[in-house]
């Protein structure tokens, strides 16, 4: 049962179609995934607005699939994949982009794949526990041009107009998730909607100074009501200073467009509820000037690590504490500035942990799209062995002694150190599968 006030609002807004709308919210939710470009498989039915999105006929046990843990695909609601259209239509050259409310990582992993080449993405989440999940998912996705932060929206304003583009997938009343999330139904009320509107406007006001003039804002929610959607978009345009931009959609997609944006309704489209709008900032902001840092000479012991990544000249290598990492050289100054001023959970590729004179390769490197596989021995394992590896059990590998890249169906899972008659499993303890397998 849905709240009476919600039902009455739907009947008032949708008239003769209200019954079909409400009936759709009682149906089973669809299941869809978006493939990583390090994967080479597909499914029968594609999500029409996303080149790498596919519907599944039923929900499998993703926990029992090694490819899920390898970041070969991301389980994402189909309507949310529409962000691809906003990017392709309005972000046409390399940008610095902020995904402000990014956890658990669906839209950030997607942005990292569809942003123009040479772009840089800051993926942020304010809630610490959710930020850690975001960091794990971004690591598994393997994009090297991403920095993950755990900060408040206002923290970004101190940099002035730093970003060329921004996604604010705002915390909302969650009406579009009603058939997937019983908690969203239980917590819904007109008062909660009003609280969400106030919170959304506070978030937008706080982060707005960090978007450049003529910068692109993608604003989205997973709710249906006009207060959190159309009214907020008009408020952004009138109060913050922005031009609402049209989005081109195919008629067969059954997306409902208003003057302010696009609505996905479950009785019209194959997916959950979503609203998305694109705006171009018209207000002036002071642009931050970043003082270039003097390039540091790479420590001699790191030269061996250059062989571990493809296109090593595209990266800057450094040691932080006892860990070595590589960051995109074109944005090294920006990354350094952000690391000094924000709570950064992850940047670039963590290559290895240094123990004495030895470097122990990190899981981030194994899962990175920039991994140079030819620098390591590789052992492709069967399903049962892959599961044991992901449970962090000991496995036996048919490979030379030393560090070995473990793969499943040719997709990297992580590392073992092969000692001959046994091997040390180097899969991160906090990632291991805890579910008992039959």
């Amino acid at each position: 049962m849905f709240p009476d006030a919600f039902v009455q609002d739907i009947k008032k807004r949708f008239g003769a179609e209200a019954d079909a709308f409400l009936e759709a919210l009682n149906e089973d939710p669809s299941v869809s995934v978006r493939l990583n470009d390090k994967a080479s498989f597909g499914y029968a039915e594609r999500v029409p607005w996303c080149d790498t999105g596919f519907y599944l006929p039923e929900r499998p046990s993703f926990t029992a699939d090694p490819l899920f843990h390898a970041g070969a695909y991301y389980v994402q609601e189909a309507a949310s994949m529409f962000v691809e259209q906003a990017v392709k239509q309005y972000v046409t050259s390399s940008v610095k982009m902020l995904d402000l409310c990014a956890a658990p990582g669906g839209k950030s992993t997607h942005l990292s794949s569809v942003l123009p080449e040479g772009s840089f993405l800051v993926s942020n989440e304010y809630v610490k526990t959710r930020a850690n999940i975001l960091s794990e998912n971004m690591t598994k996705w393997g994009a090297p041009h991403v920095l993950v932060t755990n900060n408040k929206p206002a923290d970004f304003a101190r940099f002035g107009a730093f970003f060329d583009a921004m996604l604010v997938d705002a915390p909302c009343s969650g009406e579009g998730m009603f058939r997937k999330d019983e908690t969203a139904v239980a917590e819904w009320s007109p008062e909660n909607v009003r609280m969400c509107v106030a919170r959304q406007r506070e978030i937008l006001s706080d982060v707005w100074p960090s978007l450049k003039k003529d910068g692109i804002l993608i604003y989205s929610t997973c709710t249906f009501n006009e207060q959190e959607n159309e009214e907020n978009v008009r408020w952004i345009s009138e109060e913050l200073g922005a031009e609402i931009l049209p989005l081109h959609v195919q008629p067969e997609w059954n997306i409902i467009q208003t003057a302010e944006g696009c609505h996905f309704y479950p009785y019209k489209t194959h997916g959950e509820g979503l609203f998305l709008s694109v705006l171009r900032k018209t207000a002036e902001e002071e642009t931050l000037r970043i003082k270039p840092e003097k390039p540091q000479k790479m420590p001699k012991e790191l030269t061996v690590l250059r062989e571990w990544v493809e296109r090593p000249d595209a990266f800057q290598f450094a040691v932080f504490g006892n860990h070595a990492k590589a960051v995109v050289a074109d944005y090294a100054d920006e990354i350094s500035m952000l690391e000094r001023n924000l709570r950064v959970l992850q940047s670039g590729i963590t290559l290895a942990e240094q123990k004495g004179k030895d470097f122990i390769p990190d899981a981030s490197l194994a899962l990175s799209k920039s991994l140079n596989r030819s620098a390591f021995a590789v052992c492709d394992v069967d399903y049962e062995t892959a599961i044991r590896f992901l449970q962090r059990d000991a496995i036996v590998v048919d490979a030379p002694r030393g560090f070995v890249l473990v793969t499943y169906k040719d997709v990297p899972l992580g590392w073992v150190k092969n000692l001959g008659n046994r091997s040390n499993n180097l899969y991160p303890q906090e990632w291991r599968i805890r579910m008992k397998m039959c």
Side-chain angles (χ1 to χ4, degrees):
M1 289 290 292
F2 302 118
D4 288 341
F6 171 77
V7 172
Q8 293 307 313
D9 181 61
I10 295 300
K11 288 183 175 180
K12 180 180 177 181
R13 289 173 55 203
F14 291 88
E17 295 186 338
D19 286 344
F21 188 111
L22 294 169
E23 286 173 11
L25 294 187
N26 284 308
E27 296 173 356
D28 292 334
S30 61
V31 182
S32 49
V33 299
R34 183 172 38 77
L35 302 188
N36 199 335
D37 52 17
K38 61 184 179 182
S40 59
F41 56 92
Y43 299 92
E45 185 182 359
R46 195 171 68 81
V47 175
W49 44 83
C50 175
D51 289 344
T52 54
F54 292 87
Y55 293 104
L56 305 187
E58 58 186 6
R59 189 176 187 88
S61 173
F62 292 113
T63 303
D65 183 6
L67 294 177
F68 169 74
H69 299 277
Y73 61 88
Y74 193 98
V75 184
Q76 185 179 27
E77 196 282 306
S80 293
M81 300 179 194
F82 186 66
V83 72
E84 177 173 315
Q85 296 299 317
V87 170
K88 288 183 174 179
Q89 292 179 41
Y90 286 107
V91 183
T92 56
S93 59
S94 61
V95 294
K96 296 193 295 284
M97 185 165 189
L98 171 65
D99 184 359
L100 182 66
C101 311
K107 292 184 176 68
S108 270
T109 53
H110 199 177
L111 288 171
S112 74
S113 296
V114 299
L115 284 173
E117 186 176 354
S119 294
F120 173 62
L121 175 66
V122 175
S123 182
N124 178 72
E125 173 57 45
Y126 173 56
V127 180
K128 182 62 183 292
T129 53
R130 287 170 55 81
N132 289 332
I133 295 169
L134 170 66
S135 182
E136 177 183 337
N137 285 332
M138 297 308 294
T139 297
K140 290 179 176 179
W141 197 253
H145 56 287
V146 176
L147 181 140
V148 179
T149 57
N150 170 217
N151 284 85
K152 298 181 293 186
D155 291 340
F156 295 95
R158 73 182 72 166
F159 306 127
F162 181 79
F163 294 104
D164 306 289
M166 183 182 298
L167 168 63
V168 178
D169 185 37
C172 68
S173 58
E175 297 164 354
M177 294 290 111
F178 273 9
R179 65 181 182 181
K180 292 184 72 173
D181 186 355
E182 294 180 359
T183 303
V185 178
E187 293 180 349
W188 188 94
S189 69
E191 293 77 18
N192 188 40
V193 170
R194 288 191 288 271
M195 286 175 57
C196 287
V197 171
R199 185 183 181 194
Q200 290 152 359
R201 294 186 180 187
E202 179 182 10
I203 288 170
L204 289 159
S205 296
D206 284 349
V207 78
W208 193 246
S210 67
L211 182 64
K212 295 178 182 178
K213 184 178 184 294
D214 296 323
I216 296 298
L217 169 69
I218 303 172
Y219 173 76
S220 63
T221 73
C222 58
T223 204
F224 302 126
N225 66 75
E226 294 183 359
Q227 297 100 303
E228 297 178 72
N229 296 324
E230 281 84 356
E231 289 183 16
N232 265 353
V233 170
R234 290 194 293 270
W235 176 84
I236 296 168
S237 176
E238 296 163 7
E239 297 298 323
L240 298 183
E243 171 194 6
I244 303 169
L245 301 175
L247 275 166
H248 174 72
V249 302
Q250 299 295 332
E252 62 268 23
W253 295 351
N254 291 324
I255 297 167
I256 305 302
Q257 290 186 281
T258 67
E260 292 78 17
C262 295
H263 277 283
F264 287 70
Y265 296 131
Y267 79 109
K268 292 278 190 181
T269 58
H270 192 182
E272 306 311 301
L274 177 85
F275 173 84
L276 187 143
S277 178
V278 182
L279 302 96
R280 179 181 287 118
K281 184 172 182 175
T282 56
E284 292 279 0
E285 296 287 355
E286 184 177 348
T287 302
L288 176 70
R289 285 191 176 90
I290 300 174
K291 184 179 178 181
E293 296 187 0
K294 185 178 179 180
Q296 294 183 345
K297 188 176 181 180
M298 188 170 70
K300 187 180 294 185
E301 65 267 23
L302 293 189
T303 55
V304 66
L305 302 187
R306 287 177 56 87
E307 301 173 8
W308 291 9
V309 297
E310 294 182 338
R311 299 176 59 239
D313 289 343
F315 295 94
Q316 189 174 104
F317 298 79
V319 172
F320 294 83
N322 61 342
H323 284 85
K325 73 175 184 177
V327 298
V328 177
D330 287 346
Y331 292 99
D333 292 335
E334 287 88 344
I335 292 169
S336 178
M337 185 271 294
L338 293 172
E339 288 182 327
R340 291 195 305 270
N341 292 279
L342 297 174
R343 290 189 294 274
V344 174
L345 303 184
Q346 168 196 333
S347 60
I349 310 164
T350 301
L351 299 170
E353 180 183 4
Q354 188 173 14
K355 286 191 174 180
K357 295 182 179 180
D358 295 328
F359 286 103
I360 301 172
D362 192 86
S364 173
L365 174 66
L367 299 168
S368 174
K369 298 176 186 180
S370 296
L371 168 69
N372 177 17
R373 292 174 56 158
S374 65
F376 298 94
V378 179
C379 182
D380 198 64
V381 299
D382 60 20
Y383 175 80
E384 289 75 16
T385 306
I387 291 296
R388 290 202 307 275
F389 172 78
L390 293 168
Q391 291 173 324
R392 217 169 180 271
D393 292 339
I395 63 171
V396 176
V397 293
D398 182 14
R401 290 173 181 263
F403 296 111
V404 177
L405 179 69
V406 177
T407 65
Y408 173 71
K409 294 187 176 180
D410 206 37
V411 179
L413 297 177
W415 306 100
V416 296
K417 185 173 184 181
N418 187 24
L419 304 175
N421 58 345
R422 64 182 180 86
S423 61
N424 292 338
N425 191 330
L426 303 180
Y427 194 68
Q429 177 72 25
E430 63 274 18
W431 292 0
R432 68 183 179 89
I433 296 177
R434 293 172 171 82
M435 184 178 79
K436 256 194 161 183
M437 301 292 181
C438 296

